[in-house]
Structure formats: C-alpha cells, structure tokens
Amino acid sequence: MLSVLVPLIMQVGIAPTASPVSAVPPELRDRPVREQVVRKDPAVSTALDTCLATAKSDPEKARALAEEWVSRTTGAQRAAGRHCLGVAAGNGGDWSAAAAAFLAARDDASEPRFRARMSALAGSAFLAEDEADQALSALDAGQADAAGDAALIGAIALDRASALVALGREGEAASALSEARTAIPDDAQAWLLSATLSRRTGDLAAAQSQIQQAATLDPRDPAIGLEAGVIAALGGR
C-alpha cells in the first residue's frame, strides 16, 4: 500500500483449471490496500505529518512518539496521535495493534470522513491478519461516515468484497463490487475484481463485459490482460 500498510501481493489466476469456481479468488483475498483510503484530512497538523514521515523510516520511533502523544492529548488531537500509532504499528507488521489504534482514532473523532478513513484502515489491517469478520465489522461501521465521498465509498466497498469472499459470502461480495463500480466507475481494478469474481462463480457473460471495461480503463495492466485470457479460454474464444 502507501506508507501505511505493507502491500499484499496481488495474484491473478492464469490457468482456467487452477482452482474450482467455489474457491476464494486470490485477487479479492489478497488485494492490495487502496491508497486513496488514507487521504489526509485538511486539518491534519504538521506534527502528524512529521510522525507519519517518521513511521516510514523508523516505525518503532514513530510508535513511541505516537504513544506519548496519545497519553497527553484528548479528542481530535488524540485521534491524530492514534492515527500515527496505527501507521507505525502497521509498518512494523503489528496488524492487531494497528487495527486497534485506527478504531480508537475513529472513536475519538467526530469528523465523518476522518472516521470513515480510520474504519477503512482498521478493516485493511484486520484483512492483513486474516480476520475477515472483524474487517467486515469495521468496514460496515465506516459506510455511513463515508457518505458523500465517492472515493471512500468505493474503497470501503472493495475491501468489504474482500472480507465477504473470505467469509464465503460471494453473493454479498458481488453486491459490494457493484457498489464499488457505481461509486468509482473509472477505477479499473474495481472492474477487474468484478470480472474475477464473476468468472469464479461461473457468470462468464458478466465477466467478459467487466473485463472489457477494465481493459478500456487501463489497457496496459498485465493483470487485466491475464484475466481477459482466462475468461476467453473458458468461453471457448
């Protein structure tokens, strides 16, 4: 991901027989966390900028700074400190602590979009820990706060799809991906992931339409080309 979370490897199935259609699509299970989720609030202070920058190069130092910050502040200032604490913990590989910090930051804050971003980051951290049920709970909580922000709505919907697939709730995952496509229609990955899930569930007509749209939006993405080849092979083209 961005500075906040270690990237999860995107895998794209090449062989049509690589796994049964009931298997969890790895593109959804191991989808990279989306960068736009963590756009900074306009009111973020220089202190937070400094803490987040430190979290990139020295997560342990940033974690200590953030813990001290949290101990001496309240409200929105404490929420900012907990945001940095979550970033530092995530960069250090402590996903459980990262999720807890992001949830605490959300609970300290009142600004809806900041709360939505913290819910989204908590969901991402839980997914990194293979805690799909807790991820879904955090992401569901962020939906109302994300109202009016299409990028946040779409990003949360994509992570909800990942969690739902991991929980075996593929029909609901398809609905979440539909919501993502509506919110962020120019996002090629939303269409790619939709095509992947449609293929894995046997809806090749939808998969073909979705992968064509993904290719239109990002014709140079090799993952889209690979998925298009799988769909074509399954369709006998």
Side-chain angles (χ1 to χ4, degrees), residues 25-144:
E27 299 88 337
L28 284 164
R29 185 189 63 230
D30 297 331
R31 189 177 61 76
V33 186
R34 300 172 59 79
E35 187 160 345
Q36 63 258 48
V37 172
V38 291
R39 293 170 306 167
K40 292 190 300 180
D41 188 282
V44 168
S45 66
T46 300
L48 179 56
D49 290 336
T50 300
C51 189
L52 292 175
T54 303
K56 291 182 182 180
S57 58
D58 191 342
E60 287 304 312
K61 180 179 179 180
R63 193 166 179 173
L65 289 171
E67 287 172 345
E68 193 276 333
W69 183 350
V70 167
S71 72
R72 60 179 171 78
T73 55
T74 60
Q77 282 295 316
R78 186 168 64 185
R82 283 175 162 159
H83 177 190
C84 185
L85 180 59
V87 171
N91 283 351
D94 190 346
W95 302 112
S96 179
F102 292 135
L103 290 178
R106 180 196 67 191
D107 293 343
D108 271 341
S110 59
E111 199 279 315
R113 291 182 185 177
F114 178 84
R115 287 173 52 85
R117 287 193 289 275
M118 294 304 102
S119 293
L121 287 172
S124 294
F126 281 129
L127 285 173
E129 280 277 276
D130 293 325
E131 295 287 353
D133 53 347
Q134 294 187 68
L136 187 61
S137 177
L139 294 163
D140 285 350
Q143 286 184 300

Side-chain angles (χ1 to χ4, degrees), residues 152-177:
L152 268 173
I153 291 169
I156 288 173
L158 285 173
D159 273 347
R160 287 189 73 251
S162 297
L164 288 163
V165 168
L167 293 170
R169 295 158 60 179
E170 293 182 344
E172 293 173 77
S175 295
L177 287 171

